Amino acid sequence: MKKLILKAGRDRPIRQRQPWIFSGAIEKFGREEAGSTVRVESSEGELLGHAFLSLPNKSLAARMVSFGTQDPDEAIVESIKRALVLRKSLNLDSDALRLINGEGDYLPGLIVDSYAGHLVLQISNAGWEKRREWLKDLLISECQPLSIYEKSVGPSRKEERLEDREGQIYGETPEVVTVNEGDVKLYVPIHKGQKTGLFIDQREMRGFLRNLSSGKKVLNLFSYTGGFSLAALKGGANFAVSVDRSELALSLIEPQLEENGFDQKRHQSIQADVFSYVREQKKLDFDLIIVDPPALAKHAKDRVAAARAYKDLNREVMRRITKETMILTCSCSAAVDDKLFSQVISQAALEANVMAKVVGRHQMAPDHPVSLFHPQGSYLKSLLLISFDLAGKMD
Ligand code: SAH
Protein backbone atom coordinates (compact mmCIF):
# COMPACT_ATOMS: atom_id res chain seq x y z
CA MET A 1 0.00 0.00 0.00
CA LYS A 2 1.27 3.48 -0.89
CA LYS A 3 2.20 5.96 1.82
CA LEU A 4 1.15 9.51 2.42
CA ILE A 5 3.76 11.24 4.56
CA LEU A 6 2.83 14.38 6.46
CA LYS A 7 5.15 17.33 6.86
CA ALA A 8 6.95 17.69 10.17
CA GLY A 9 4.64 19.31 12.72
CA ARG A 10 1.54 18.89 10.53
CA ASP A 11 0.30 15.67 12.08
CA ARG A 12 -1.60 17.28 14.93
CA PRO A 13 -5.04 17.51 13.25
CA ILE A 14 -4.85 13.83 12.37
CA ARG A 15 -3.81 12.92 15.90
CA GLN A 16 -6.87 14.93 16.96
CA ARG A 17 -8.95 12.70 14.68
CA GLN A 18 -9.87 15.28 12.12
CA PRO A 19 -10.76 13.42 8.96
CA TRP A 20 -9.52 15.81 6.30
CA ILE A 21 -5.92 16.06 5.09
CA PHE A 22 -5.10 19.17 3.11
CA SER A 23 -2.40 19.19 0.49
CA GLY A 24 -0.37 21.81 2.36
CA ALA A 25 0.24 19.31 5.17
CA ILE A 26 1.64 16.62 2.90
CA GLU A 27 5.35 16.02 2.44
CA LYS A 28 4.85 13.41 -0.26
CA PHE A 29 2.66 10.59 -1.41
CA GLY A 30 3.25 7.80 -3.86
CA ARG A 31 1.52 8.09 -7.20
CA GLU A 32 -1.82 6.37 -6.76
CA GLU A 33 -5.15 6.84 -8.44
CA ALA A 34 -7.92 8.76 -6.69
CA GLY A 35 -9.96 6.53 -4.40
CA SER A 36 -7.06 4.34 -3.33
CA THR A 37 -6.51 3.72 0.35
CA VAL A 38 -3.14 4.97 1.61
CA ARG A 39 -1.17 4.63 4.83
CA VAL A 40 -0.88 8.00 6.56
CA GLU A 41 2.43 8.48 8.37
CA SER A 42 3.99 11.26 10.39
CA SER A 43 7.33 12.68 9.25
CA GLU A 44 8.96 10.31 11.74
CA GLY A 45 7.36 7.33 10.05
CA GLU A 46 4.66 6.66 12.67
CA LEU A 47 1.48 5.11 11.27
CA LEU A 48 -1.42 7.50 12.07
CA GLY A 49 -4.14 5.72 10.15
CA HIS A 50 -5.46 5.22 6.63
CA ALA A 51 -7.16 7.55 4.19
CA PHE A 52 -8.97 7.61 0.85
CA LEU A 53 -6.90 9.54 -1.62
CA SER A 54 -8.46 12.33 -3.63
CA LEU A 55 -7.04 13.81 -6.81
CA PRO A 56 -3.40 14.79 -6.33
CA ASN A 57 -3.88 18.48 -7.11
CA LYS A 58 -6.81 18.97 -4.74
CA SER A 59 -6.58 21.08 -1.62
CA LEU A 60 -8.59 18.45 0.25
CA ALA A 61 -6.18 15.68 -0.66
CA ALA A 62 -7.30 12.74 1.45
CA ARG A 63 -9.95 11.67 3.95
CA MET A 64 -9.26 9.47 6.95
CA VAL A 65 -11.22 6.24 7.17
CA SER A 66 -9.30 4.76 10.10
CA PHE A 67 -7.04 6.01 12.87
CA GLY A 68 -4.11 4.27 14.50
CA THR A 69 -3.03 0.84 13.38
CA GLN A 70 -6.44 -0.65 12.60
CA ASP A 71 -6.80 -2.25 9.18
CA PRO A 72 -8.80 0.23 7.05
CA ASP A 73 -11.14 -2.35 5.52
CA GLU A 74 -11.98 -3.65 8.98
CA ALA A 75 -12.43 -0.10 10.27
CA ILE A 76 -14.86 0.75 7.47
CA VAL A 77 -17.01 -2.31 8.12
CA GLU A 78 -16.95 -1.54 11.82
CA SER A 79 -17.94 2.10 11.29
CA ILE A 80 -20.84 1.02 9.08
CA LYS A 81 -22.02 -1.52 11.64
CA ARG A 82 -21.69 0.99 14.47
CA ALA A 83 -23.72 3.50 12.46
CA LEU A 84 -26.52 0.98 11.91
CA VAL A 85 -26.55 -0.15 15.55
CA LEU A 86 -26.77 3.49 16.66
CA ARG A 87 -29.87 4.11 14.54
CA LYS A 88 -31.56 1.10 16.08
CA SER A 89 -30.71 2.19 19.60
CA LEU A 90 -31.99 5.74 19.04
CA ASN A 91 -35.56 4.45 18.85
CA LEU A 92 -36.75 7.38 16.79
CA ASP A 93 -40.45 7.54 16.10
CA SER A 94 -40.00 7.70 12.35
CA ASP A 95 -39.21 5.39 9.49
CA ALA A 96 -37.34 8.12 7.61
CA LEU A 97 -33.84 7.77 9.02
CA ARG A 98 -30.32 8.72 8.08
CA LEU A 99 -28.44 5.45 8.57
CA ILE A 100 -24.99 6.75 7.64
CA ASN A 101 -24.02 10.38 8.02
CA GLY A 102 -20.62 10.76 6.36
CA GLU A 103 -17.93 12.28 8.55
CA GLY A 104 -20.31 12.12 11.53
CA ASP A 105 -20.08 8.33 11.38
CA TYR A 106 -16.34 8.36 10.46
CA LEU A 107 -17.28 7.48 6.89
CA PRO A 108 -16.33 10.63 4.96
CA GLY A 109 -18.54 11.38 2.00
CA LEU A 110 -20.96 8.49 2.44
CA ILE A 111 -24.66 9.07 3.03
CA VAL A 112 -27.30 6.37 3.34
CA ASP A 113 -30.91 7.25 4.14
CA SER A 114 -33.74 4.82 4.71
CA TYR A 115 -37.33 5.57 3.80
CA ALA A 116 -39.60 2.83 5.11
CA GLY A 117 -36.97 0.29 4.15
CA HIS A 118 -36.02 1.83 0.79
CA LEU A 119 -32.43 2.99 0.92
CA VAL A 120 -30.98 5.98 -0.88
CA LEU A 121 -27.22 5.94 -1.35
CA GLN A 122 -25.11 9.02 -1.93
CA ILE A 123 -21.42 8.66 -2.66
CA SER A 124 -19.40 11.83 -2.94
CA ASN A 125 -15.80 10.74 -3.30
CA ALA A 126 -13.63 8.38 -5.27
CA GLY A 127 -12.92 6.11 -2.30
CA TRP A 128 -16.54 4.97 -2.10
CA GLU A 129 -16.85 5.01 -5.84
CA LYS A 130 -14.19 2.30 -5.99
CA ARG A 131 -15.96 0.26 -3.34
CA ARG A 132 -19.43 0.81 -4.70
CA GLU A 133 -20.32 -2.80 -5.52
CA TRP A 134 -18.87 -4.03 -2.25
CA LEU A 135 -20.82 -1.36 -0.38
CA LYS A 136 -24.04 -2.28 -2.12
CA ASP A 137 -23.64 -5.93 -1.12
CA LEU A 138 -22.82 -4.97 2.45
CA LEU A 139 -25.92 -2.74 2.69
CA ILE A 140 -28.06 -5.55 1.31
CA SER A 141 -26.75 -8.06 3.83
CA GLU A 142 -26.74 -5.69 6.83
CA CYS A 143 -30.01 -3.81 6.21
CA GLN A 144 -32.12 -6.22 4.11
CA PRO A 145 -33.59 -3.23 2.29
CA LEU A 146 -36.62 -3.34 0.02
CA SER A 147 -34.60 -1.45 -2.57
CA ILE A 148 -31.57 0.78 -3.05
CA TYR A 149 -31.66 3.90 -5.20
CA GLU A 150 -28.43 5.75 -5.89
CA LYS A 151 -28.36 9.53 -5.90
CA SER A 152 -24.68 10.29 -6.17
CA VAL A 153 -24.83 13.90 -7.28
CA GLY A 154 -23.44 17.21 -6.15
CA PRO A 155 -20.51 19.58 -6.12
CA SER A 156 -18.12 17.40 -4.14
CA ARG A 157 -18.30 14.77 -6.88
CA LYS A 158 -17.37 17.37 -9.44
CA GLU A 159 -14.33 18.22 -7.37
CA GLU A 160 -13.28 14.57 -7.55
CA ARG A 161 -14.02 14.58 -11.30
CA LEU A 162 -16.75 12.00 -10.85
CA GLU A 163 -19.80 12.10 -13.08
CA ASP A 164 -23.16 12.36 -11.31
CA ARG A 165 -24.83 8.99 -11.12
CA GLU A 166 -28.49 8.36 -10.34
CA GLY A 167 -30.63 5.29 -10.64
CA GLN A 168 -31.86 2.02 -9.31
CA ILE A 169 -29.16 -0.33 -8.08
CA TYR A 170 -31.22 -2.91 -6.20
CA GLY A 171 -34.89 -3.85 -6.15
CA GLU A 172 -37.42 -1.28 -7.17
CA THR A 173 -37.92 2.07 -5.48
CA PRO A 174 -41.33 3.70 -5.97
CA GLU A 175 -41.24 7.28 -7.31
CA VAL A 176 -42.79 8.43 -4.04
CA VAL A 177 -42.43 6.54 -0.76
CA THR A 178 -44.74 7.21 2.20
CA VAL A 179 -43.07 7.45 5.60
CA ASN A 180 -44.46 7.91 9.09
CA GLU A 181 -42.85 10.70 11.05
CA GLY A 182 -44.59 10.10 14.35
CA ASP A 183 -48.23 10.04 13.34
CA VAL A 184 -47.75 12.32 10.35
CA LYS A 185 -47.55 10.66 6.96
CA LEU A 186 -45.03 12.29 4.64
CA TYR A 187 -44.47 11.69 0.95
CA VAL A 188 -40.86 11.34 -0.13
CA PRO A 189 -40.18 11.89 -3.84
CA ILE A 190 -37.03 9.81 -4.00
CA HIS A 191 -36.35 9.92 -7.75
CA LYS A 192 -37.16 13.54 -8.50
CA GLY A 193 -37.00 15.24 -5.13
CA GLN A 194 -34.18 17.24 -3.57
CA LYS A 195 -31.37 15.73 -1.50
CA THR A 196 -32.26 12.07 -0.97
CA GLY A 197 -35.98 12.95 -1.02
CA LEU A 198 -36.73 14.47 2.38
CA PHE A 199 -35.08 16.93 4.75
CA ILE A 200 -34.80 14.36 7.52
CA ASP A 201 -32.50 16.71 9.42
CA GLN A 202 -35.46 18.96 10.34
CA ARG A 203 -37.47 16.14 11.96
CA GLU A 204 -37.01 17.32 15.54
CA MET A 205 -37.82 20.90 14.61
CA ARG A 206 -40.99 19.79 12.84
CA GLY A 207 -41.98 18.04 16.09
CA PHE A 208 -41.07 21.10 18.16
CA LEU A 209 -43.08 23.37 15.93
CA ARG A 210 -46.06 21.07 15.89
CA ASN A 211 -46.42 21.50 19.66
CA LEU A 212 -46.56 25.27 19.24
CA SER A 213 -49.06 25.40 16.41
CA SER A 214 -52.46 25.03 18.01
CA GLY A 215 -54.87 27.69 16.79
CA LYS A 216 -52.16 29.43 14.75
CA LYS A 217 -51.94 30.76 11.24
CA VAL A 218 -48.68 29.54 9.77
CA LEU A 219 -46.52 30.70 6.87
CA ASN A 220 -44.00 28.12 5.69
CA LEU A 221 -41.37 29.79 3.48
CA PHE A 222 -39.19 27.42 1.40
CA SER A 223 -41.66 24.69 2.27
CA TYR A 224 -40.40 21.95 -0.06
CA THR A 225 -43.05 19.18 0.22
CA GLY A 226 -44.72 20.92 3.17
CA GLY A 227 -43.20 19.02 6.10
CA PHE A 228 -43.50 21.95 8.51
CA SER A 229 -47.01 22.78 7.26
CA LEU A 230 -48.23 19.23 7.82
CA ALA A 231 -46.64 19.13 11.28
CA ALA A 232 -48.33 22.44 12.14
CA LEU A 233 -51.72 21.26 10.89
CA LYS A 234 -51.33 18.07 12.92
CA GLY A 235 -50.61 20.26 15.92
CA GLY A 236 -53.89 22.10 15.40
CA ALA A 237 -52.88 25.08 13.29
CA ASN A 238 -55.94 26.75 11.80
CA PHE A 239 -54.33 27.44 8.48
CA ALA A 240 -50.97 27.02 6.78
CA VAL A 241 -49.52 28.60 3.66
CA SER A 242 -46.57 26.88 1.94
CA VAL A 243 -44.39 28.86 -0.44
CA ASP A 244 -41.73 27.24 -2.63
CA ARG A 245 -40.57 27.59 -6.21
CA SER A 246 -40.60 23.86 -6.87
CA GLU A 247 -43.76 22.74 -8.62
CA LEU A 248 -43.01 19.09 -7.91
CA ALA A 249 -42.56 19.72 -4.18
CA LEU A 250 -45.80 21.71 -3.94
CA SER A 251 -47.75 19.18 -6.01
CA LEU A 252 -47.24 16.64 -3.24
CA ILE A 253 -48.87 18.73 -0.53
CA GLU A 254 -52.52 18.22 -1.53
CA PRO A 255 -52.28 14.44 -1.58
CA GLN A 256 -50.49 14.52 1.77
CA LEU A 257 -53.30 16.63 3.26
CA GLU A 258 -55.71 13.99 2.04
CA GLU A 259 -53.55 11.13 3.33
CA ASN A 260 -53.41 12.75 6.78
CA GLY A 261 -57.12 13.52 6.84
CA PHE A 262 -56.72 17.30 6.85
CA ASP A 263 -59.32 19.53 5.23
CA GLN A 264 -57.82 21.03 2.06
CA LYS A 265 -59.32 24.36 3.11
CA ARG A 266 -56.76 24.57 5.90
CA HIS A 267 -53.89 24.92 3.45
CA GLN A 268 -52.75 27.02 0.52
CA SER A 269 -49.75 26.37 -1.73
CA ILE A 270 -48.04 29.27 -3.48
CA GLN A 271 -45.45 28.65 -6.16
CA ALA A 272 -43.11 31.63 -6.06
CA ASP A 273 -39.62 32.86 -5.54
CA VAL A 274 -39.67 33.48 -1.79
CA PHE A 275 -37.39 36.52 -1.94
CA SER A 276 -39.78 38.28 -4.35
CA TYR A 277 -42.90 36.91 -2.66
CA VAL A 278 -41.92 38.42 0.68
CA ARG A 279 -41.07 41.77 -0.88
CA GLU A 280 -44.38 41.84 -2.72
CA GLN A 281 -46.42 41.38 0.47
CA LYS A 282 -47.42 44.51 2.33
CA LYS A 283 -47.93 42.57 5.54
CA LEU A 284 -47.32 39.05 6.71
CA ASP A 285 -50.28 38.55 8.97
CA PHE A 286 -49.31 35.22 10.57
CA ASP A 287 -48.73 33.86 14.09
CA LEU A 288 -45.89 31.61 13.08
CA ILE A 289 -43.46 31.98 10.18
CA ILE A 290 -40.86 29.43 9.10
CA VAL A 291 -37.87 30.65 7.10
CA ASP A 292 -35.85 27.63 5.95
CA PRO A 293 -33.95 28.62 2.80
CA PRO A 294 -31.54 26.38 0.88
CA ALA A 295 -27.85 26.80 1.70
CA LEU A 296 -27.10 30.39 0.71
CA ALA A 297 -23.34 29.82 1.20
CA LYS A 298 -22.12 26.82 -0.71
CA HIS A 299 -18.45 27.47 0.08
CA ALA A 300 -16.49 29.25 2.78
CA LYS A 301 -15.70 32.01 0.28
CA ASP A 302 -19.44 32.81 0.00
CA ARG A 303 -19.72 33.38 3.74
CA VAL A 304 -20.01 37.15 3.68
CA ALA A 305 -22.44 37.30 0.77
CA ALA A 306 -24.53 34.58 2.36
CA ALA A 307 -24.61 36.34 5.72
CA ARG A 308 -25.97 39.37 3.93
CA ALA A 309 -28.59 37.31 2.11
CA TYR A 310 -29.78 35.73 5.39
CA LYS A 311 -29.91 39.16 6.98
CA ASP A 312 -31.87 40.74 4.13
CA LEU A 313 -34.34 37.88 3.90
CA ASN A 314 -35.04 37.82 7.63
CA ARG A 315 -35.24 41.61 7.79
CA GLU A 316 -37.83 41.70 5.02
CA VAL A 317 -39.89 39.05 6.83
CA MET A 318 -39.62 40.81 10.19
CA ARG A 319 -40.58 44.16 8.68
CA ARG A 320 -43.90 42.74 7.62
CA ILE A 321 -45.12 41.07 10.79
CA THR A 322 -48.34 42.53 12.10
CA LYS A 323 -48.34 41.30 15.70
CA GLU A 324 -46.33 39.19 18.08
CA THR A 325 -45.07 36.53 15.71
CA MET A 326 -43.10 33.40 16.29
CA ILE A 327 -40.37 33.04 13.67
CA LEU A 328 -38.43 29.85 13.13
CA THR A 329 -35.42 30.87 11.07
CA CYS A 330 -32.86 28.36 9.84
CA SER A 331 -29.58 28.16 7.97
CA CYS A 332 -28.11 25.00 6.52
CA SER A 333 -24.89 26.69 5.34
CA ALA A 334 -21.88 25.10 7.01
CA ALA A 335 -19.89 28.26 6.28
CA VAL A 336 -22.25 30.36 8.40
CA ASP A 337 -21.67 29.18 11.96
CA ASP A 338 -23.97 29.59 14.98
CA LYS A 339 -22.32 32.76 16.13
CA LEU A 340 -22.46 34.47 12.77
CA PHE A 341 -26.05 33.34 12.24
CA SER A 342 -27.14 34.84 15.59
CA GLN A 343 -25.35 38.09 14.71
CA VAL A 344 -27.01 38.19 11.32
CA ILE A 345 -30.48 37.61 12.74
CA SER A 346 -30.04 40.22 15.46
CA GLN A 347 -28.90 42.71 12.82
CA ALA A 348 -31.98 41.83 10.77
CA ALA A 349 -34.21 42.51 13.79
CA LEU A 350 -32.48 45.84 14.43
CA GLU A 351 -32.92 46.92 10.83
CA ALA A 352 -36.55 45.81 10.82
CA ASN A 353 -37.10 47.65 14.11
CA VAL A 354 -38.52 44.62 15.90
CA MET A 355 -37.81 43.24 19.33
CA ALA A 356 -37.01 39.55 19.39
CA LYS A 357 -36.39 36.92 22.04
CA VAL A 358 -34.88 33.53 21.41
CA VAL A 359 -37.16 30.84 22.83
CA GLY A 360 -35.58 27.86 21.12
CA ARG A 361 -32.54 26.78 19.18
CA HIS A 362 -31.95 24.03 16.74
CA GLN A 363 -32.50 20.58 18.06
CA MET A 364 -30.35 18.32 15.92
CA ALA A 365 -31.65 15.05 14.62
CA PRO A 366 -29.72 12.33 16.48
CA ASP A 367 -29.48 10.19 13.36
CA HIS A 368 -27.27 12.99 11.97
CA PRO A 369 -24.42 12.62 14.45
CA VAL A 370 -21.52 15.05 14.29
CA SER A 371 -17.99 13.84 15.02
CA LEU A 372 -16.69 15.65 18.08
CA PHE A 373 -13.46 16.04 16.13
CA HIS A 374 -15.13 17.47 13.03
CA PRO A 375 -17.54 20.17 14.22
CA GLN A 376 -17.91 21.41 10.64
CA GLY A 377 -20.37 18.53 10.26
CA SER A 378 -22.88 20.55 12.24
CA TYR A 379 -24.27 22.63 9.37
CA LEU A 380 -27.91 23.17 10.34
CA LYS A 381 -28.88 25.85 12.81
CA SER A 382 -32.18 27.42 13.79
CA LEU A 383 -33.45 30.12 16.07
CA LEU A 384 -37.02 30.22 17.27
CA LEU A 385 -37.88 33.81 17.95
CA ILE A 386 -40.77 35.68 19.46
CA SER A 387 -40.75 38.98 17.67
CA PHE A 388 -42.88 42.06 17.82
CA ASP A 389 -42.79 45.55 16.45
CA LEU A 390 -40.86 47.94 18.69
CA ALA A 391 -43.71 50.40 18.49
CA GLY A 392 -46.38 47.74 18.96
CA LYS A 393 -48.60 47.20 21.97
CA MET A 394 -49.91 43.86 23.23
CA ASP A 395 -52.40 42.48 20.69
N1 SAH B 1 -38.29 23.24 5.15
C1 SAH B 1 -38.21 22.15 4.21
C2 SAH B 1 -36.89 22.10 3.50
C3 SAH B 1 -36.53 23.33 2.72
S1 SAH B 1 -35.25 23.08 1.58
C4 SAH B 1 -38.49 20.85 4.93
O1 SAH B 1 -38.40 20.79 6.18
O2 SAH B 1 -38.82 19.88 4.25
C5 SAH B 1 -35.26 24.49 0.64
C6 SAH B 1 -36.41 24.64 -0.33
O3 SAH B 1 -36.29 25.93 -0.88
C7 SAH B 1 -36.49 23.69 -1.49
O4 SAH B 1 -37.74 23.09 -1.52
C8 SAH B 1 -36.32 24.58 -2.75
O5 SAH B 1 -37.20 24.21 -3.82
C9 SAH B 1 -36.75 25.90 -2.24
N2 SAH B 1 -36.17 27.08 -2.87
C10 SAH B 1 -34.88 27.33 -3.16
N3 SAH B 1 -34.73 28.59 -3.61
C11 SAH B 1 -35.96 29.15 -3.60
C12 SAH B 1 -36.46 30.43 -3.94
N4 SAH B 1 -35.66 31.40 -4.36
N5 SAH B 1 -37.78 30.66 -3.79
C13 SAH B 1 -38.60 29.68 -3.37
N6 SAH B 1 -38.18 28.45 -3.02
C14 SAH B 1 -36.88 28.19 -3.14
Side-chain angles (χ1 to χ4, degrees), residues 56-312:
N57 55 346
K58 280 284 147 207
S59 139
L60 206 176
R63 296 171 174 89
M64 299 297 289
V65 289
S66 65
F67 290 94
T69 54
Q70 193 180 15
D71 173 78
D73 293 331
E74 250 177 57
I76 290 169
V77 173
E78 199 180 297
S79 294
I80 292 176
K81 288 189 177 169
R82 279 187 202 283
L84 299 175
V85 168
L86 171 65
R87 282 19 178 224
K88 285 211 179 87
S89 69
L90 288 172
N91 257 325
L92 295 168
D93 187 13
S94 174
D95 55 9
L97 295 173
R98 173 145 298 186
L99 299 182
I100 296 179
N101 191 39
E103 278 76 353
D105 283 303
Y106 311 126
L107 296 160
L110 178 64
I111 299 290
V112 180
D113 288 343
S114 174
Y115 296 110
H118 295 278
L119 301 190
V120 183
L121 167 69
Q122 192 168 70
I123 283 174
S124 62
N125 64 53
W128 298 114
E129 192 73 15
K130 266 194 148 189
R131 289 161 186 77
R132 192 168 156 268
E133 281 303 309
W134 170 86
L135 185 62
K136 177 182 125 181
D137 291 342
L138 186 72
L139 290 173
I140 293 169
S141 68
E142 290 294 322
C143 308
Q144 291 98 42
L146 296 170
S147 73
I148 308 179
Y149 193 82
E150 182 172 8
K151 270 195 136 174
S152 294
V153 297
S156 38
R157 277 182 78 85
K158 251 181 222 101
E159 297 200 356
E160 300 260 312
R161 289 212 209 103
L162 298 170
E163 297 280 312
D164 283 353
R165 191 181 325 94
E166 254 186 80
Q168 197 71 57
I169 57 171
Y170 174 71
E172 212 171 300
T173 309
E175 285 264 335
V176 178
V177 170
T178 307
V179 296
N180 293 286
E181 193 170 271
D183 52 1
V184 181
K185 288 193 188 312
L186 297 177
Y187 283 4
V188 185
I190 291 183
H191 298 225
K192 299 203 181 106
Q194 295 172 38
K195 292 249 215 142
T196 63
L198 185 71
F199 291 83
I200 312 178
D201 52 4
Q202 286 283 26
R203 178 202 308 115
E204 278 59 27
M205 295 311 283
R206 286 191 283 270
F208 187 25
L209 191 110
R210 168 186 173 160
N211 292 334
L212 301 168
S213 297
S214 180
K216 299 218 161 90
K217 190 173 165 199
V218 178
L219 175 63
N220 183 4
L221 298 174
F222 306 95
S223 66
Y224 188 50
T225 46
F228 277 115
S229 305
L230 292 155
L233 291 172
K234 192 74 183 184
N238 290 339
F239 190 69
V241 178
S242 303
V243 187
D244 201 282
R245 69 176 176 200
S246 160
E247 191 180 347
L248 169 88
L250 292 175
S251 73
L252 289 174
I253 302 184
E254 254 184 44
Q256 289 179 97
L257 294 168
E258 167 105 36
E259 179 92 44
N260 285 283
F262 302 145
D263 189 337
Q264 302 281 349
K265 287 197 210 82
R266 291 171 69 198
H267 183 269
Q268 183 190 5
S269 293
I270 298 176
Q271 189 184 359
D273 171 79
V274 166
F275 300 93
S276 322
Y277 168 83
V278 169
R279 284 192 156 84
E280 282 158 14
Q281 308 306 303
K282 259 204 159 107
K283 301 270 170 223
L284 291 174
D285 185 15
F286 293 89
D287 305 296
L288 175 49
I289 301 177
I290 298 127
V291 187
D292 184 20
L296 299 177
K298 298 266 192 274
H299 301 285
K301 66 175 167 47
D302 307 328
R303 189 170 171 265
V304 173
R308 194 179 183 96
Y310 284 112
K311 189 191 77 181
D312 291 353

Side-chain angles (χ1 to χ4, degrees), residues 41-42 138 167 184 297 317:
E41 294 186 3
S42 71
L138 186 72
V184 181
V317 170

